[in-house]
Amino acid sequence: MDTVRNIPTPANAELFRALGVLAEAPGRQHRAIARALQLSPPQSDEEWQAAFTEALVLRACPYASICLNTEGMLGGNARDRIAGFWRAVGLTPPDEPDHLPVLLAAYARLVEHCARDPRWHNARQALLNEHLLSWLPPWLDRIENWGPPFYADWATLLRQALKLEVGVVGQTSRLPAHLRTIPAMRDPRDDTLDAFVGDLLAPAVSGIILFREDIQCAARELGEGCRLGERRFMLRTLMQQSPAACFNWLARYASASARSHLQTTELHEEVARHWTARAKRTQRLLADLALDVRGALPILAQASCGDPQPPMDTARDIQNRR
Amino acid sequence: MNAGDIVRKLGERVSALRRDTEARGETFYPGSSRIHLASFPPKERWDDWVELDSKAWPQRVAKHYTLVPTTCFNCESACGLLAYVDRESFGVRKFEGNPEHPGSRGRNCAKGPATLTQVTDPDRILFPLKRAGKRGEGRWTQVSWDDVLDDLAQRIRKAIEERRQNEIMYHVGRPGEDGFTERVLAAWGVDGHNSHTNICSSGGRAGYQYWMGYDRPSPDFAHSDVILLVSSHLESGHYFNPHAQRILDAKKRGAKVIVLDVRLSNTATHADHWLAPYPGTEAALLLAVANHLIRTRRYNRDFVQRWWNWREFLRAENPDREPVFADFEERLASLYSDYTFTFAAEETGVDIQSIETIAETVAKAGTRFSVHNWRSAAAGNLGGWQVSRTLFLLSALLGAIGTEGGTFPNAWNKYVPKPIYTPPHPKVWNELTYPPEYPLGMNEMSFLLPYFLKEGRGRLDVYFTRVYNPVWTNPGGFSWVDVLSDEDLVGLHVALTPTWNETAYFADYVLPMGMGAERHDVHSYETHDGQWIGFRQPVLRAARERFGESVDDTRRVNPGEVWEENEFWLELTWRIDPDGSLGIRQYAESRANPGQRLSLDEYYGWMFEHSVPGLPEKAAAEGLSPLEYMRRYGCFEVSRGAGARHEAEVPPDELDDTHITQDGRVYTRTPKPASPNIVPAPGPDPDDEGRRPVGVKIADTVRRGFPTPSGKLEFYSTTLAAWGWPEYALPTYIRSHIHRERMAPDQMPLIATFRLPVQIHTRSGNAKWLNEIAHTNPVWIHPRDADQKGISTGTLVRLETEIGYFVARAWVTEGIRPGVVACSHHMGRWKLNGDSGQRQSSATVHLKRDANRWNLRRTATVSAFASADPDTSRIWWSDVGVHQNLTFGVHPDPISGQHCWHQAVRVRPAEPGDEHGDVYVDTRKADSVYREWLQLTRTAADTSPDGTRRPHWFLRPLKPSPDAFRLDGPTGRRQPGTEG
């Protein structure tokens, strides 16, 4: 599947490849690529590096597995499934087959192959629908609304490019395999608090993507203290301080997420429905818990298995590995 | 413009920018920072690469580097390195991987970056030294290169003039440039090449050679579905870094890896199936797999019928009957029917189910099946060469040869550019390296040299050891000390070495040679299915040339007076024959400036201009000469994807006046077409009328085939049958010298062949970073055995061999098969004097000799010391292991000539008074062991079918003239009672 150099690269392939590269740590070549895409990167290299770290290292790591796994963490079944796709099309899966720049580069290659041989269409459609559109609509939405300006613009452009691509390749009618077997959100009254918090932080399960800043924002709005730590720890301590208010805040957040997801049907209708339904269900559960704080209290009193040193969350984990 | 148009337009803008950027020869996409090679500096910025000075932290001080490629000189893989040369001080700051290198692809093991510590080693040899006292006394005086060269030239010239040319010997450990020194010896008319190969890979090579003529495999691991390794290939094999990364690529794709190893090596830990057979029984297990393929008819029948020499086999069995393939299949089934899973399980000690499982895995592999065995079992056992032969049988049964994901002959994936001069081979035969008892010995019988000298088979007037340390590396090192100390047997010993070693202590001259970053070599290795050349170069020379300086002698830029061998050999050759009267000087003379010595710029400039297809064009595209291109990038990919070359049709213009045998071997009168690639290949004999073999006829087409006598894959070796070993002409199982039946009840096999992943024999002895990681070699012993013997981890144990014993510490581990012990050969370095030699890796010892009894005992271990390198004050380790090889007798396999390393030992807790590292050896017993194994041979005088010393078609580094091949041919040495 090596690129044949003497065949012109289709413009959309080049676009996806360039967008993928911009989701990498910025280096010398990135500025020229950004400008070619009419994006305005931060003025200095250091500012850009800081923006990148804020957006794509600490806030929203661009890995499909984080959004699609039932644990909300790197690796797992979602990564294996994507690695399987690489193998199925005759490619050796790279070290991080679900990393967005890698996925976009692979997609660019499939676009190029399709230009030469239409038999690659199915592979192109599968990568787009199964492994990109299954998680990118809600993820991009968060970047567009919460990211530093450069990355917000970048996310908008990627969304537009995906939309155009859907027009060419077509949506599949089935829910992507990643999302078909996602278990339901667990009720803390029937399970543990850790399990409940874990589900909340697993986007494919809860239908919401919670950044660290979201939890800090909740604490500010509720007038509560925010204990620093990984997201799991922050969220749990916030719940323990003011359960009803916290559940209500999260329910409102889930409701807003559901509304946003509903706007993404143009990318993939079934995916939009899944994320919307998940967010609504989470909203209902949280609203119910807010009304039944007494029922949830014994659970909230549980000590976490992570106390006093909560386990690393995914963003921290990745940051440390770097 | 709608959103779609805008997005499309943006894509086009990026495409245009990319085209412009790449047209300038620059990198557009930086690649991913987490994967691939993005962290490497883009090649267009190699001239001025800026990094912050880590030592200036917290200040942000920019350092400017010029990045110069070279190749690693530690193991044979020759992975690409990039030297970061400080543009101000012209010092090398660090070595990292060269992303342009097709073999290593920018990745290195620990040994690559550790080159820096070898370059800056405060104990390295910087000046030519001459012995001052007695040999081994440790007293030296600095001498000039001129004096050394004149002395050597005079001595060598005299030997040549007196027709004692074979009293000159060059004994090599780590090869440098493909064929360079062989050509130097050929120019001198000397059959004096000696290698380390018979203590290394001869067993493995023999198994491949009898099948396909070529003696090395080149597995296409990256595209395999099933990989079968009889080795620890992910950590230490040839060529482990390039191979390991491709094996892991295959694993990521879903390939299955099967490893046979007595130890739980790092490779075994990455295997899908790890089987630990009793050492020496590997071939039995492999034949059980073969039997499974045959019995279930899941072998590639078309391939077998097409490419095996089954007709010759049937004809040999029944000369009166016309060979029919159906008969062969029937015979094939019966030949291996005894190798049942039950038999294999009993013989190997591996459970039946595991053997069945891997047999099924292999059966399903099809032609995407690759294999490798190089040392390991093939180097450990009597008959070990049948391990690689039976391993390759599986490839041959599946037709997985020359296929994608299969195994190739190495020469198809190797490129050796023809140099400016190729002198003819010598007219004499050296019986010290190719003695009559070993006509089928794969390579020089190097480790028997002391015994041959002591027996009076000859003497050496000038003996070069070059990056070679036989006293430490070879079995029975005290016999080497014995001989090297005797000036009657070795007139002058010249140690060419970058660093001190146990052999150099017994030299007359110690001449400092450059590390990987201080010398030139061109090389090519079969790392994958492709051909490339790598260019090792003195990086400071190349860096200075980038800044406009002209450097015509590498000594000008190397530390002290460290030289490089290629310039040394050219200069020595020039001085041996200053007036050209011996006909030698012509091979060291400039073509551009007759009368002057050939420079390395001219030598490599000519080679890259004339002998590397595609290189001149690629260089021109960047406005560079071919030599400038190689100095800039350090490598060039010649081709990718060899394909099934044996299937290639021979063009009609090569088929003049052909003769075709009844089995389809085709001979032609057409001379062999000239090729710029002079990769070594076997040379099957011509027919009776002098036609050369050109291919084999299959159906109606003449195809290239293999360079074997039959032109096919030789399931049946006519060579083995004709040269006195008919019982081993087929792939079979030979019970090892350490088979249970041959062991006393209180003996155990000792596995002594494995390497520590970050070390590489003695060459890495001065790599501080590597020594910190691995500096000792405990004895691996299973808890069950340890309990029985009252041994625990750290206990001092005495291992008694047939010629002596050594004392080491035990490591109790389940990572070794019960009933077997293991000890890596890497450690136990020593020096005789406290202040000279390698202080970071070598213990100081006292060597006591009482007639034939030798004792070695430590008087001091390593410790921190002050030097120009502050790190030497931080040496925290003191245990440097034990030198076990001293206690091994020589075990030459009577066919392959390979030293069979495994030992039968008695293991028990150390005795009172024993100390860690103690070694005791009785060299008289060593002599007895030598004679016992010599009894196993069948000498050429009795077995040669044609009055020659060795099958002419075999590979040989130097191939003497046909006259010298005859048993009574010239030996280039003074015979007793004659004038020469």
Side-chain angles (χ1 to χ4, degrees):
Chain A
M1 209 171 133
D2 286 328
T3 304
V4 178
R5 290 185 184 278
N6 55 6
I7 292 181
T9 301
N12 48 343
E14 205 68 78
L15 179 63
F16 280 111
R17 190 173 282 122
L19 285 167
V21 165
L22 291 182
E24 280 288 340
R28 177 176 159 268
Q29 288 110 314
H30 286 66
R31 200 167 286 280
I33 295 169
R35 286 183 179 145
L37 291 176
Q38 295 185 332
L39 296 171
S40 302
Q43 292 252 315
S44 72
D45 290 346
E46 284 188 359
E47 285 172 311
W48 193 352
Q49 188 68 49
F52 169 77
T53 306
E54 180 190 346
L56 299 184
V57 177
L58 298 176
R59 192 173 288 173
C61 299
Y63 290 87
S65 55
I66 294 176
C67 283
L68 295 171
N69 270 333
T70 51
E71 300 83 13
M73 292 184 182
L74 273 175
N77 287 341
R79 179 174 277 185
D80 287 348
R81 196 176 282 120
I82 293 172
F85 171 81
W86 283 78
R87 282 192 279 270
V89 296
L91 291 173
T92 300
D95 289 341
E96 297 183 324
D98 63 323
H99 187 215
L100 182 59
V102 171
L103 286 169
L104 292 177
Y107 189 74
R109 290 173 77 182
L110 290 177
V111 173
E112 287 164 350
H113 286 297
C114 270
R116 292 201 306 273
D117 184 349
R119 284 177 297 179
W120 285 99
H121 175 81
N122 287 348
R124 176 184 182 180
Q125 191 182 48
L127 178 52
L128 179 68
N129 283 278
E130 291 285 326
H131 306 305
L132 290 170
L133 296 181
S134 52
W135 64 284
L136 275 178
W139 188 84
L140 288 173
D141 183 63
R142 294 306 326 269
I143 302 287
E144 285 178 78
N145 290 300
W146 271 83
F150 171 76
Y151 287 100
D153 293 345
W154 166 85
T156 302
L157 183 55
L158 179 53
R159 178 190 293 283
Q160 288 171 344
L162 288 168
K163 186 177 159 189
L164 195 65
E165 203 58 21
V166 168
V168 175
V169 178
Q171 282 188 19
T172 48
S173 56
R174 289 190 75 191
L175 189 64
H178 288 293
L179 301 175
R180 278 180 229 151
T181 54
I182 299 290
M185 179 94 186
R186 285 170 287 188
D187 187 325
R189 291 165 294 193
D190 305 328
D191 215 304
T192 63
L193 180 62
D194 277 343
F196 171 64
V197 172
D199 283 353
L200 268 178
L201 294 173
V205 177
S206 64
I208 62 176
I209 299 175
L210 269 175
F211 293 156
R212 180 185 306 276
E213 287 82 350
D214 298 322
I215 303 168
Q216 288 171 327
C217 175
R220 271 198 310 275
E221 290 180 12
L222 298 176
E224 299 292 349
C226 182
R227 290 190 66 186
L228 289 179
E230 63 162 1
R231 289 180 305 158
R232 190 181 298 258
F233 176 75
M234 292 165 72
L235 195 54
R236 194 167 55 78
T237 53
L238 187 60
M239 287 176 184
Q240 286 168 330
Q241 289 176 71
S242 182
C246 181
F247 291 144
N248 273 325
W249 190 95
L250 287 168
R252 288 197 299 277
Y253 182 87
S255 178
S257 295
R259 284 195 298 278
S260 295
H261 298 333
L262 208 51
Q263 305 303 312
T264 62
T265 51
E266 60 191 7
L267 289 177
H268 198 296
E269 197 168 337
E270 287 301 313
V271 170
R273 283 195 186 143
H274 168 88
W275 283 90
T276 306
R278 287 291 168 148
K280 281 185 175 172
R281 188 168 175 170
T282 301
Q283 181 263 325
R284 284 196 296 272
L285 175 60
L286 287 161
D288 190 43
L289 286 169
L291 292 173
D292 183 25
V293 172
R294 189 166 294 179
L297 276 178
I299 310 300
L300 292 169
Q302 284 177 355
S304 165
C305 59
D307 271 345
Q309 294 291 326
M312 305 293 286
D313 75 1
T314 50
R316 176 88 60 85
D317 207 14
I318 291 162
Q319 188 189 8
N320 283 350
R321 277 209 308 279
R322 287 176 187 170
Chain B
M1 199 181 282
N2 63 30
D5 290 338
I6 293 170
V7 168
R8 261 188 291 274
K9 208 76 190 160
L10 290 175
E12 286 163 9
R13 279 169 58 98
V14 178
S15 288
L17 182 62
R18 179 182 179 181
R19 275 195 302 276
D20 289 349
T21 308
E22 291 182 345
R24 295 196 299 272
E26 296 176 10
T27 310
F28 180 68
Y29 286 120
S32 168
S33 60
R34 229 160 274 96
I35 53 176
H36 308 311
L37 303 174
S39 57
F40 292 94
K43 59 190 179 186
E44 62 272 13
R45 298 181 65 199
W46 286 6
D47 277 344
D48 186 12
W49 178 249
V50 184
E51 287 189 358
L52 295 182
D53 184 356
S54 56
K55 289 187 176 172
W57 187 88
Q59 278 81 42
R60 294 167 66 84
V61 177
K63 291 284 277 186
H64 290 256
Y65 298 98
T66 187
L67 310 188
V68 184
T70 186
T71 57
C72 185
F73 191 51
N74 277 320
C75 85
E76 196 179 5
S77 305
C79 299
L81 293 177
L82 267 187
Y84 285 58
V85 180
D86 189 319
R87 284 167 61 104
E88 290 173 16
S89 68
F90 275 101
V92 179
R93 191 64 175 260
K94 64 176 175 178
F95 292 94
E96 293 197 347
N98 178 0
E100 296 290 307
H101 195 286
S104 55
R105 304 186 291 190
R107 306 170 204 180
N108 293 105
C109 73
K111 297 190 284 291
T115 299
L116 186 65
T117 62
Q118 296 171 294
V119 169
T120 59
D121 164 29
D123 287 338
R124 69 179 293 189
I125 306 158
L126 293 174
F127 301 95
L129 300 174
K130 185 175 183 179
R131 168 166 66 91
K134 288 182 184 172
R135 276 195 196 153
E137 197 176 316
R139 293 171 56 212
W140 305 92
T141 55
Q142 186 178 329
V143 287
S144 74
W145 276 108
D146 264 342
D147 288 347
V148 176
L149 286 160
D150 285 342
D151 186 14
L152 293 177
Q154 196 177 20
R155 199 159 176 140
I156 292 169
R157 181 184 176 101
K158 189 163 186 286
I160 293 170
E161 285 177 332
E162 292 175 359
R163 299 189 179 180
R164 296 180 287 109
Q165 59 268 58
N166 277 354
E167 291 187 5
I168 301 159
M169 182 177 284
Y170 162 80
H171 206 155
V172 61
R174 163 62 43 244
E177 178 163 329
D178 281 314
F180 189 99
T181 323
E182 287 90 323
R183 290 191 294 274
V184 169
L185 295 168
W188 300 352
V190 170
D191 184 29
H193 187 273
N194 204 347
S195 73
H196 72 282
T197 311
N198 266 330
I199 56 158
C200 176
S201 56
S202 289
R205 289 168 188 259
Y208 301 114
Q209 176 199 250
Y210 287 120
W211 266 110
M212 58 177 174
Y214 300 104
D215 65 348
R216 287 184 183 223
S218 174
D220 180 18
F221 287 130
H223 302 104
S224 296
D225 287 345
V226 176
I227 295 167
L228 175 47
L229 305 171
V230 185
S231 70
S232 50
H233 216 62
L234 287 176
E235 66 210 70
S236 60
H238 275 18
Y239 307 92
F240 96 91
N241 170 42
H243 277 176
Q245 56 185 261
R246 289 170 172 88
I247 292 170
L248 293 176
D249 284 350
K251 266 182 75 73
K252 282 185 199 164
R253 229 180 0 84
K256 298 292 179 199
V257 176
I258 303 165
V259 172
L260 305 191
D261 198 330
V262 182
R263 294 180 308 121
L264 180 62
S265 65
N266 290 359
T267 307
T269 62
H270 285 69
D272 297 279
H273 305 280
W274 168 47
L275 278 62
Y278 181 87
T281 62
E282 292 82 357
L285 195 152
L286 296 168
L287 289 175
V289 177
N291 182 33
H292 179 68
L293 298 178
I294 296 165
R295 191 171 44 79
T296 58
R297 306 276 285 183
R298 281 189 291 173
Y299 60 98
N300 189 331
R301 296 179 64 213
D302 288 345
F303 182 87
V304 171
Q305 185 170 12
R306 193 174 170 86
W307 283 112
W308 286 28
N309 69 334
W310 55 270
R311 285 189 178 85
E312 285 190 315
F313 168 63
L314 290 183
R315 224 184 281 286
E317 282 212 322
N318 193 345
D320 299 329
R321 188 166 169 174
E322 186 59 25
V324 176
F325 187 64
D327 292 347
F328 174 70
E329 287 192 289
E330 198 176 312
R331 189 75 184 92
L332 183 65
S334 67
L335 277 170
Y336 295 108
S337 59
D338 289 343
Y339 290 96
T340 60
F341 291 141
T342 306
F343 169 77
E346 285 171 1
E347 194 70 7
T348 63
V350 175
D351 63 283
I352 287 184
Q353 196 176 7
S354 296
I355 301 173
E356 281 179 352
T357 302
I358 69 150
E360 262 307 296
T361 305
V362 171
K364 290 173 183 164
T367 56
R368 288 181 180 273
F369 172 68
S370 61
V371 298
H372 206 280
N373 167 235
W374 195 238
R375 288 178 288 248
S376 186
N381 298 287
L382 175 70
W385 59 279
Q386 283 282 9
V387 174
S388 54
R389 184 143 161 82
T390 51
L391 180 66
F392 204 73
L393 168 65
L394 302 180
S395 296
L397 280 166
L398 294 173
I401 295 165
T403 55
E404 189 173 58
T407 301
F408 292 74
N410 77 310
W412 299 2
N413 291 154
K414 183 177 170 80
Y415 193 93
V416 181
K418 187 176 179 176
I420 189 167
Y421 297 122
T422 47
H425 287 271
K427 296 184 172 62
V428 289
W429 184 281
N430 197 332
E431 289 189 321
L432 284 178
T433 47
Y434 288 96
E437 291 92 340
Y438 297 92
L440 303 181
M442 281 298 295
N443 299 81
E444 303 89 346
M445 296 304 300
S446 61
F447 61 99
L448 300 185
L449 183 63
Y451 301 91
F452 293 160
L453 291 175
K454 284 196 279 186
E455 280 182 347
R457 297 193 188 200
R459 71 179 292 275
L460 297 174
D461 191 42
V462 181
Y463 178 53
F464 293 97
T465 51
R466 180 275 192 188
V467 197
Y468 189 49
N469 186 8
V471 170
W472 182 83
T473 307
N474 283 5
F478 288 135
S479 296
W480 284 84
V481 173
D482 217 359
V483 164
L484 290 175
S485 304
D486 186 335
E487 291 179 44
D488 289 334
L489 296 178
V490 180
L492 186 77
H493 173 201
V494 185
L496 307 174
T497 176
T499 180
W500 282 106
N501 64 49
E502 287 78 351
T503 302
Y505 304 144
F506 300 95
D508 299 293
Y509 283 118
V510 176
L511 304 182
M513 291 291 152
M515 306 282 182
E518 298 163 347
R519 51 181 292 133
H520 284 94
D521 290 305
V522 167
H523 42 68
S524 174
Y525 296 111
E526 57 277 15
T527 56
H528 61 287
D529 185 16
Q531 292 178 325
W532 53 268
I533 56 168
F535 189 36
R536 186 175 289 133
Q537 61 177 340
V539 296
L540 297 182
R541 176 171 172 158
R544 286 184 180 274
E545 286 175 352
R546 274 191 198 175
F547 287 85
E549 277 188 53
S550 173
V551 182
D552 57 2
D553 187 321
T554 300
R555 282 175 293 185
R556 280 185 48 204
V557 295
N558 276 349
E561 291 182 20
V562 170
W563 209 359
E564 63 167 279
E565 284 156 52
N566 292 1
E567 278 180 351
F568 166 79
W569 291 120
L570 286 172
E571 183 63 28
L572 181 57
T573 301
W574 190 254
R575 295 193 191 205
I576 288 171
D577 186 19
D579 57 2
S581 59
L582 294 180
I584 292 174
R585 194 183 85 154
Q586 57 180 316
Y587 301 115
E589 184 168 0
S590 165
R591 274 191 192 165
N593 301 297
Q596 292 183 23
R597 178 170 72 71
L598 181 66
S599 73
L600 286 188
D601 274 356
E602 183 182 351
Y603 172 83
Y604 288 114
W606 189 96
M607 176 187 283
F608 297 146
E609 183 72 45
H610 295 89
S611 301
V612 187
L615 174 55
E617 294 78 9
K618 186 150 188 188
E622 295 197 21
L624 301 170
S625 71
L627 177 59
E628 287 168 339
Y629 181 94
M630 292 301 285
R631 290 219 183 275
R632 169 156 289 271
Y633 296 116
C635 50
F636 178 72
E637 187 171 51
V638 181
S639 68
R640 274 189 206 177
R645 292 198 179 179
H646 55 295
E647 290 278 8
E649 289 186 28
V650 178
D653 60 4
E654 263 197 73
L655 297 173
D656 176 32
D657 184 24
T658 55
H659 165 231
I660 303 175
T661 66
Q662 60 179 345
D663 290 330
R665 191 57 157 133
V666 181
Y667 296 87
T668 181
R669 293 254 185 232
T670 314
K672 192 175 181 183
S675 169
N677 182 5
I678 57 165
V679 61
D685 292 335
D687 71 1
D688 292 343
E689 295 177 21
R691 297 181 188 86
R692 74 176 173 93
V694 70
V696 283
K697 190 167 185 182
I698 293 177
D700 293 327
T701 307
V702 179
R703 300 189 182 275
R704 196 59 80 183
F706 296 89
T708 55
S710 66
K712 294 196 173 180
L713 291 172
E714 298 208 333
F715 169 69
Y716 170 68
S717 171
T718 51
T719 306
L720 281 162
W723 284 77
W725 296 95
E727 67 269 44
Y728 297 140
L730 299 178
T732 190
Y733 166 49
I734 299 172
R735 283 189 166 150
S736 169
H737 64 295
I738 49 141
H739 190 271
R740 294 182 192 88
E741 290 176 351
R742 299 183 178 185
M743 303 271 278
D746 60 343
Q747 284 184 317
M748 299 171 80
L750 166 67
I751 308 305
T753 47
F754 67 98
R755 286 178 20 204
L756 299 172
V758 301
Q759 295 284 6
I760 181 74
H761 312 302
T762 55
R763 277 189 306 289
S764 55
N766 68 336
K768 180 183 60 209
W769 296 342
L770 303 180
N771 287 327
E772 180 158 12
I773 299 169
H775 44 257
T776 188
N777 57 344
V779 174
W780 300 35
I781 184 166
H782 192 272
R784 193 189 307 169
D785 300 315
D787 285 348
Q788 282 174 2
K789 295 176 183 293
I791 291 169
S792 55
T793 293
T795 300
L796 275 187
V797 290
R798 184 189 269 211
L799 276 78
E800 184 185 307
T801 68
E802 57 201 333
I803 69 167
Y805 67 81
F806 64 93
V807 179
R809 292 196 194 285
W811 180 40
V812 180
T813 171
E814 291 185 340
I816 182 84
R817 186 189 163 80
V820 181
V821 288
C823 184
S824 170
H825 71 272
H826 260 143
M827 291 296 151
R829 302 294 310 280
W830 50 267
K831 57 189 166 67
L832 295 167
N833 299 298
D835 294 332
S836 65
Q838 280 304 318
R839 283 175 287 177
Q840 59 174 291
S841 61
S842 302
T844 308
V845 300
H846 176 64
L847 199 56
K848 183 180 158 196
R849 180 180 188 179
D850 178 10
N852 48 290
R853 290 184 290 276
W854 297 69
N855 279 89
L856 181 147
R857 170 158 284 187
R858 286 185 189 164
T859 55
T861 61
V862 303
S863 59
F865 62 94
S867 76
D869 178 355
D871 274 353
T872 61
S873 63
R874 302 181 187 115
I875 291 173
W876 51 265
W877 60 93
S878 57
D879 181 1
V880 292
V882 59
H883 184 190
Q884 61 174 338
N885 290 9
L886 286 170
T887 67
F888 299 166
V890 290
H891 298 160
D893 183 275
I895 295 175
S896 70
Q898 165 78 46
H899 170 61
C900 307
W901 279 102
H902 293 348
Q903 302 287 315
V905 295
R906 291 179 173 84
V907 183
R908 59 174 183 272
E911 296 186 0
D914 281 354
E915 292 182 13
H916 184 220
D918 277 0
V919 172
Y920 165 78
V921 169
D922 183 341
T923 49
R924 195 167 52 194
K925 288 184 178 173
D927 293 344
S928 300
V929 173
Y930 158 69
R931 285 192 295 273
E932 279 170 32
W933 282 72
L934 201 61
Q935 290 299 313
L936 303 177
T937 60
R938 297 175 189 173
T939 184
D942 298 331
T943 61
S944 175
D946 56 6
T948 61
R949 301 174 189 269
R950 173 184 173 86
H952 193 268
W953 72 273
F954 276 20
L955 285 162
R956 196 180 188 279
L958 291 163
K959 209 154 192 172
S961 58
D963 186 39
F965 258 79
R966 301 207 55 76
L967 280 166
D968 56 357
T971 59
R973 130 177 358 269
R974 188 183 290 150
Q975 301 297 323
T978 71
E979 287 301 311

